[in-house]
């Protein structure tokens, strides 16, 4: 007998949801496409709605009062600065200014030049596993590869990667669904130490510029505008947090799904030319981020969607994982099909907050 799942019973902290969210996503899409959860806010689950809201300028990412004051009361100064300076949490015109400057430094050419380093890193990681009958994919490949790529991009010692990993893990643990205030003390310490590390790095590069992204961010200029010290530090931290955690998830979950779907894995081995399409399908099928990054979206006016009025001041969380399995957007969405006809997934978001590191993630 099949148990009917009621969308109103959805609890993001439930271990069964964490283990397999897709039955719950289906219930939300079908029964409550705009669902208000007392601890989360409004949850949006259909592809068309999520895509539209990612582009809708009636929604902002900058945390409004009284939420800003609540965070300010408990968050360390360094964590508050991250919440006010990173691209994830700022709106135009500040977002337009910072993104334009970052784009001048974080160029497609700079990303393309990372290919030899990534190939060498992969060879080194695999060589260490020679002769092993089994190994932990997460610890041996999925975690070190993105961090070692970012450290090379920033021009910092590879030896620092374990510390950088510890800081990014502690900060991202705070941004859970719902927000995990128990993780706040660890996030405060990590943000303070991480910011101090970045300030030292920035000061060093100002005195001795090199051929690295930090030096390029410092030098970037657009119509007389430059990134200040906090802007550069926030960007470095964002690159490490977003660029590490999401790519780690893509590699580990992607390999897991190929192991679960041996016929598709065999197709990939027979025809490596489908690798680009396979990456997009794996991004869709098991998105590295199931919820649009940042602290959510916030409406600046009452907005009615599916007969539900979204009120200003209440967070709106966009379920990318649910949208990418929407049957109204993708044929047979719960089937992994590496030859699927291309259709834009939402794993990297849309609109002005589209993931700046999407090409780097695909390359890795």
């Amino acid at each position: 007998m099949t148990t009917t799942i009621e969308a109103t019973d959805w609890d993001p902290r439930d271990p069964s949801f964490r283990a397999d969210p897709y039955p719950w996503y289906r219930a939300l899409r079908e029964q409550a496409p705009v669902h208000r959860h007392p601890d989360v806010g409004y949850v949006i689950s259909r592809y068309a709605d999520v895509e539209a809201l990612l582009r809708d300028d009636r929604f902002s990412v900058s945390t409004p009062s009284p939420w800003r004051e609540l965070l300010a009361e408990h968050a360390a100064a360094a964590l508050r600065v991250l919440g006010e300076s990173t691209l994830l949490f700022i709106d135009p015109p500040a977002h337009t200014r910072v993104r334009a400057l970052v784009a001048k430094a974080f160029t497609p050419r700079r990303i393309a030049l990372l290919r030899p380093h990534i190939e060498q890193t992969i060879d080194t990681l695999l060589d260490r596993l020679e002769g092993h009958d089994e190994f932990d994919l997460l610890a041996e490949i999925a975690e070190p590869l993105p961090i070692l790529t970012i450290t090379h991009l920033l021009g910092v010692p590879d030896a620092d990667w374990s510390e950088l990993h510890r800081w990014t893990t502690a900060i991202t643990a705070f941004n859970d669904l719902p927000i995990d205030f128990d993780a706040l003390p660890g996030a405060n310490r990590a943000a303070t130490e991480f910011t101090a590390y970045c300030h030292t790095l920035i000061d060093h590069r100002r005195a001795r510029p090199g051929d690295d992204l930090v030096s390029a961010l410092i030098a970037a200029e657009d119509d007389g505008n430059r990134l200040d010290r906090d802007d550069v530090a926030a960007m470095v931290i964002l690159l490490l947090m977003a660029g590490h955690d999401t790519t780690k998830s893509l590699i580990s979950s992607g390999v897991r799904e190929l192991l679960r779907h041996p016929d598709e894995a065999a197709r990939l081995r027979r025809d490596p030319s489908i690798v680009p399409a396979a990456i997009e399908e794996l991004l869709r099928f098991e998105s590295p981020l199931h919820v649009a990054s940042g602290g959510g979206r916030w409406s600046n006016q009452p907005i009615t969607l599916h007969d539900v009025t979204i009120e200003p001041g209440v967070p709106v969380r966009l379920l990318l994982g649910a949208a990418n399995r929407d049957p109204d957007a993708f044929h047979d969405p719960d089937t992994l099909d590496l030859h699927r006809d291309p259709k834009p997934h939402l794993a990297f978001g849309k609109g002005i907050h589209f993931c700046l590191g999407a090409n780097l993630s695909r390359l890795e």
Side-chain angles (χ1 to χ4, degrees):
M1 185 177 70
T2 302
T3 302
T4 301
I5 293 178
E6 297 293 337
T8 52
D9 293 334
W10 176 66
D11 180 359
R13 290 162 294 209
D14 187 334
S16 68
F17 167 71
R18 298 288 176 126
D20 183 11
Y22 296 106
W24 289 100
Y25 288 162
R26 185 181 307 115
L28 288 166
R29 285 194 308 265
E30 293 174 354
Q31 302 171 29
V34 181
H35 174 60
R36 183 166 182 176
H37 187 281
D39 299 325
V40 174
Y42 298 101
V43 176
I44 314 297
S45 51
R46 291 182 181 174
Y47 179 97
D49 298 329
V50 172
E51 183 186 40
L53 266 60
L54 285 168
R55 300 175 182 271
D56 194 329
D57 60 11
R58 294 175 299 173
F59 289 84
S60 69
V61 296
S62 180
T63 308
S65 299
W67 294 84
R68 183 178 290 275
E69 284 72 20
L70 177 65
L71 290 173
E73 181 182 348
H74 299 284
L79 193 61
R80 293 200 302 273
V81 169
L82 285 182
E84 295 168 0
S85 301
T86 57
L87 285 169
L88 294 178
F89 298 101
I90 57 176
D91 299 307
H95 179 275
T96 308
R97 178 187 70 84
V98 173
R99 179 128 184 169
L101 287 164
V102 170
K104 286 183 175 293
F106 200 68
T107 61
R109 178 180 178 275
R110 187 177 292 277
I111 300 306
L113 290 174
L114 287 171
R115 179 181 288 275
H117 172 77
I118 294 174
E119 291 175 344
Q120 181 182 1
T121 302
I122 282 288
D123 286 343
T124 301
L125 294 173
L126 292 178
D127 286 347
R128 290 197 326 215
L129 300 173
E130 187 72 28
H132 289 231
D133 292 328
E134 61 181 47
F135 65 91
D136 185 331
L137 177 76
L138 196 64
E140 299 293 345
I141 295 177
E143 283 184 347
L145 174 63
I147 281 279
L148 292 172
T149 301
I150 297 288
T151 55
H152 179 76
L153 181 66
L154 298 173
V156 300
D158 288 350
D160 292 353
W161 87 268
S162 59
E163 195 80 298
L164 297 171
H165 170 62
R166 180 176 68 82
W167 289 331
T168 57
T169 300
I171 294 172
T172 53
F174 169 60
N175 186 29
D176 203 351
L177 191 69
I179 289 176
D180 184 3
F181 280 96
D182 289 341
L184 187 56
N188 280 334
R189 287 192 298 273
T192 301
E193 294 170 8
F194 205 164
T195 300
Y197 174 94
C198 288
H199 284 167
T200 300
L201 175 64
I202 292 163
D203 292 342
H204 182 268
R205 293 297 153 74
R206 285 192 192 280
R208 302 177 186 83
D211 185 21
D212 57 84
L213 184 60
V214 176
S215 298
L217 288 169
I218 293 168
E221 183 175 352
D222 185 56
D223 288 337
N225 290 316
R226 288 183 178 274
L227 297 168
D228 64 26
R229 197 170 181 236
D230 284 339
D231 288 335
V232 177
M235 193 63 218
V236 170
I237 292 173
L238 175 60
L239 279 169
L240 280 157
M241 288 195 302
H244 164 239
D245 197 54
T246 52
T247 307
K248 173 188 74 176
S249 298
L250 173 59
I251 293 169
S252 55
S253 63
V255 172
R256 182 195 64 193
E257 293 307 327
L258 289 171
L259 292 172
R260 288 176 171 176
H261 299 82
D263 290 344
E264 291 299 290
R267 291 172 73 181
L268 189 59
R269 292 190 190 97
R270 287 195 304 269
D271 184 8
S273 70
I274 69 169
V275 163
I279 292 171
E280 300 309 309
E281 173 66 350
L282 290 166
L283 281 161
R284 180 202 68 82
F285 190 78
E286 188 63 84
S287 301
L289 283 177
H290 278 225
V291 186
S293 56
R297 298 315 197 256
W298 311 81
S299 64
N300 58 29
Q301 58 187 274
I303 297 170
T304 300
L305 183 63
H306 300 297
D307 298 323
V308 176
T309 299
I310 297 173
E311 299 290 346
V314 181
V316 179
R317 305 307 296 257
L318 308 178
L319 298 184
L320 306 179
N324 281 335
R325 294 283 193 102
D326 188 340
D328 288 338
F330 303 97
H331 172 70
D332 195 13
D334 293 325
T335 295
L336 181 70
D337 179 4
L338 302 187
H339 280 92
R340 183 180 296 276
D341 290 336
K343 177 183 174 64
H345 56 72
L346 299 178
F348 292 126
K350 289 281 183 181
I352 64 170
H353 291 283
F354 181 81
C355 177
L356 196 65
N359 288 336
L360 175 58
S361 180
R362 288 178 170 118
L363 180 60
E364 290 176 302

